[in-house]
């Protein structure tokens, strides 16, 4: 059996690196091909050169900041003795709810980023155009197959290696935010027990079943 406070401390500590992964990956996604020229948009003034799902900043705001704030509180609650106080545990439920919302937003934007594929320069009817070639609505390729058919990846001419870049980083955000969501949901239940049952006692007694 584990005390609710120790559980909160463990969850809070685990959320830190996951939030950092989401945050860093989203920032890197603004620099496709490891170049700053696309975020500056010098070449195509009237066109966006950054994928919409990157600009939604799911990893930065959702999986990053909106999870980092609850992580700090949850971790601090767990450090205050065995279970912290009932008020701290009650607040941790509210903070964990914020974490669930943030990680869900991050998860959804990362999923869309993977499904729709990157914004890149590709050949259409003999002309080089900017667009999302793997998106079913406006692309000529089947968006279901591009993730599993690496032969299609070379259709994106610029930025160099943008498909691998997008797939790897969005996959990392997707995995990290998925784990964040589960941990925040666990903390909501853990916080409820901590709020209802109070502290476990100083002599190491723990709440049965947790």
């Amino acid at each position: 059996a584990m005390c609710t406070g120790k559980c909160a401390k463990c969850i809070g500590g685990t959320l830190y690196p996951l939030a950092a992964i989401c945050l860093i990956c989203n920032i890197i996604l603004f620099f496709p091909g490891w170049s700053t020229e696309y975020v500056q948009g010098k070449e195509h003034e009237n066109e966006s050169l950054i994928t919409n799902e990157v600009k939604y900043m799911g990893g930065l705001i959702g999986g990053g900041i909106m999870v980092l704030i609850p992580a700090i509180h949850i971790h601090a609650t767990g450090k205050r003795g065995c279970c912290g106080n009932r008020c701290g545990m009650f607040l941790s439920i509210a903070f964990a709810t914020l974490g669930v919302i943030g990680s869900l937003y991050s998860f959804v934007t990362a999923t869309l980023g993977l499904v729709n594929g990157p914004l890149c320069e590709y050949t259409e009817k003999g002309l080089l155009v900017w667009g999302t070639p793997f998106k079913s609505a406006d692309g000529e390729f089947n968006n279901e197959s591009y993730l599993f058919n690496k032969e299609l990846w070379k259709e994106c001419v610029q930025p160099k290696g943008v498909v691998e870049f997008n797939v790897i980083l969005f996959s990392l955000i997707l995995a990290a935010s998925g784990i964040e969501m589960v941990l925040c949901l666990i903390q909501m239940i853990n916080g409820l027990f901590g709020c209802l049952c109070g502290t476990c006692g100083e002599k190491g007694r723990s709440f049965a079943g947790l």
Side-chain angles (χ1 to χ4, degrees):
M2 184 186 268
C3 170
T4 54
K6 286 177 184 171
C7 183
K9 190 179 173 183
C10 180
I11 289 169
T14 311
L15 286 172
Y16 289 137
L18 293 169
I21 289 166
C22 290
L23 214 130
I24 293 162
C25 287
N26 202 151
I27 291 167
I28 296 170
L29 277 163
F30 276 100
F31 306 99
W34 304 100
S35 169
T36 57
E37 67 178 284
Y38 304 103
V39 76
Q40 290 164 347
K42 284 179 182 173
E43 286 181 21
H44 302 253
E45 285 180 23
N46 299 321
E47 289 182 67
S48 171
L49 303 181
I50 301 291
T51 312
N52 280 336
E53 288 78 17
V54 176
K55 290 191 285 187
Y56 294 156
M57 294 195 287
L60 188 66
I61 296 168
I65 296 162
M66 284 177 76
V67 170
L68 201 57
I69 295 164
I72 293 164
H73 177 83
I74 293 163
H75 193 239
T77 303
K79 282 171 86 174
R80 281 192 213 117
C82 188
C83 291
N85 50 44
R86 287 174 194 253
C87 179
M89 275 303 193
F90 177 74
L91 281 172
S92 82
I93 300 169
F95 277 105
T97 307
L98 178 71
V100 170
I101 295 164
S103 54
L104 180 64
Y105 175 57
S106 178
F107 189 87
V108 170
T109 52
T111 304
L112 286 171
L114 283 170
V115 170
N116 294 334
L119 181 71
C120 65
E121 191 175 50
Y122 66 101
T123 308
E124 188 177 63
K125 295 170 187 170
L127 296 168
L128 276 175
V129 294
W130 276 92
T132 45
F134 308 120
K135 197 173 176 180
S136 54
D138 54 311
E140 56 187 274
F141 309 106
N142 186 333
N143 70 343
E144 287 178 280
S145 64
Y146 103 91
L147 283 167
F148 309 103
N149 185 358
K150 287 192 176 183
E151 280 300 303
L152 290 175
W153 293 16
K154 62 176 183 279
E155 295 295 336
C156 278
V157 183
Q158 289 290 340
K160 276 200 162 55
V162 71
V163 184
E164 295 95 321
F165 189 81
N166 257 40
V167 168
I168 291 165
L169 291 169
F170 272 129
S171 295
L172 282 169
I173 294 172
L174 186 79
S177 54
I179 299 165
E180 283 175 346
M181 215 186 313
V182 172
L183 288 173
C184 287
L185 284 166
I186 291 169
Q187 178 53 31
M188 284 172 76
I189 299 161
N190 181 54
L192 183 65
F193 278 114
C195 183
L196 293 173
C197 309
T199 56
C200 319
E202 291 172 10
K203 293 181 181 176
R205 284 176 296 158
S206 41
F207 182 74
L210 285 175

